[in-house]
Amino acid sequence: MNIILLGPPGAGKGTQAKMIEEKFGLVQLSTGDMLRAAVAEGTEIGKKAKGIMERGDLVPDDIVVSIIADRIDEDDCQDGFVLDGFPRNAAQAQALDVMLAEKGIGLQHVIEMKVDADVLVERITGRYTCGSCGAGYHDIYKPVAKDGVCDNCGSEDLKRRPDDTAETVRSRLEVYSRETEPLLPYYGEKAILRQVDGMAAMDAVAQSINSILAA
Ligand code: ADP
Ligand code: ZN
């Protein structure tokens, strides 16, 4: 089974993709994570992507399309994957269709995570993660128990994404409504679009996704 998670920045796609990975064995393919890894490693792609990501713009289509095309050929993806953060515009969606058709791969569900625009800025600007174990936290909703220390592993390496500032979040949200939201009718016409309430508690969202995937 291959699926796409669609929704604005801060909707919780990454969190849910990880749950789907654990529960259904689908590999999480997050273009955001892959690009951040490229930036951290200082590769050619990373050098091109860094400034663009810090502004909240989209990295050029040819870069993300080829990252995904190469990644889905790998062995671990043969039993299924969940796309998180890709496709993000019409050109990427079309490139994905062509790539899947060429490889003879199907797409079973596109799950839209619906979240009210007014909570997104607060969700994103308050979030931080542990650089050691990956645990996620939030200034208001889920702060660490002891300032500056990860509850889970005791590390003091807590970090925020450089694009999680109020200013960049606003551009990311604009880019989402202009470029990515139009994909909803695109997948709606293919009758594979499903919706879940991304405002619900994390476990409740996971439950709704489970019922779609298990059906
Ligand atoms: P979020 O969904 O919270 O904005 P991501 O980690 O998915 O976070 O993406 C972070 C940034 O990485 C985006 O703002 C964009 O610059 C870049 N990026 C990620 N995926 C894509 C994509 N499919 N096409 C173009 N740029 C992308
Ligand atoms: Zn930790």
Side-chain angles (χ1 to χ4, degrees):
M1 178 166 56
N2 304 304
I3 68 171
I4 297 176
L5 288 185
L6 260 187
K13 298 184 299 292
T15 307
Q16 296 301 328
K18 289 198 177 64
M19 295 212 201
I20 295 168
E21 190 167 57
E22 266 173 39
K23 192 155 164 74
F24 293 89
L26 308 183
V27 180
Q28 176 190 12
L29 302 183
S30 159
T31 40
D33 286 350
M34 296 179 214
L35 290 168
R36 275 185 290 280
V39 171
E41 284 164 27
T43 64
E44 282 309 310
I45 286 178
K47 283 182 206 152
K48 277 189 204 155
K50 188 168 187 282
I52 300 174
M53 294 172 76
E54 278 168 9
R55 285 198 306 275
D57 289 336
L58 294 185
V59 170
D61 295 336
D62 56 338
I63 294 183
V64 289
V65 168
S66 74
I67 290 181
I68 289 294
D70 290 344
R71 187 65 186 86
I72 62 179
D73 282 338
E74 286 176 37
D75 281 349
D76 62 335
C77 290
Q78 303 320 305
D79 292 331
F81 50 79
V82 43
L83 291 169
D84 158 15
F86 179 92
R88 248 179 160 88
N89 61 22
Q92 292 179 17
Q94 278 148 18
L96 177 65
D97 280 350
V98 170
M99 167 191 330
L100 295 179
E102 279 171 355
K103 298 176 195 280
I105 300 174
L107 187 62
Q108 281 71 36
H109 305 285
V110 176
I111 300 178
E112 179 198 3
M113 300 184 59
K114 289 179 82 79
V115 179
D116 297 346
D118 48 348
V119 307
L120 293 172
V121 175
E122 191 179 62
R123 275 196 186 186
I124 299 173
T125 53
R127 70 187 181 185
Y128 55 101
T129 52
C130 171
S132 282
C133 73
Y137 297 100
H138 192 281
D139 293 326
I140 301 164
Y141 307 116
K142 195 187 168 194
V144 287
K146 181 166 181 275
D147 260 2
V149 182
C150 175
D151 294 356
N152 188 44
C153 76
S155 163
E156 293 183 9
D157 183 23
L158 299 175
K159 18 184 209 199
R160 291 173 195 268
R161 271 170 48 179
D163 60 345
D164 279 350
T165 59
E167 200 193 0
T168 303
V169 169
R170 273 191 291 276
S171 349
R172 284 159 60 199
L173 292 172
E174 275 167 30
V175 169
Y176 178 78
S177 47
R178 189 177 65 236
E179 305 276 339
T180 313
E181 254 186 333
L183 298 184
L184 295 170
Y186 179 77
Y187 290 115
E189 279 164 23
K190 294 176 187 280
I192 51 174
L193 184 65
R194 314 278 177 267
Q195 284 168 337
V196 297
D197 175 13
M199 298 291 285
M202 224 167 72
D203 290 347
V205 179
Q207 196 47 57
S208 320
I209 294 178
N210 286 350
S211 5
I212 293 171
L213 300 187

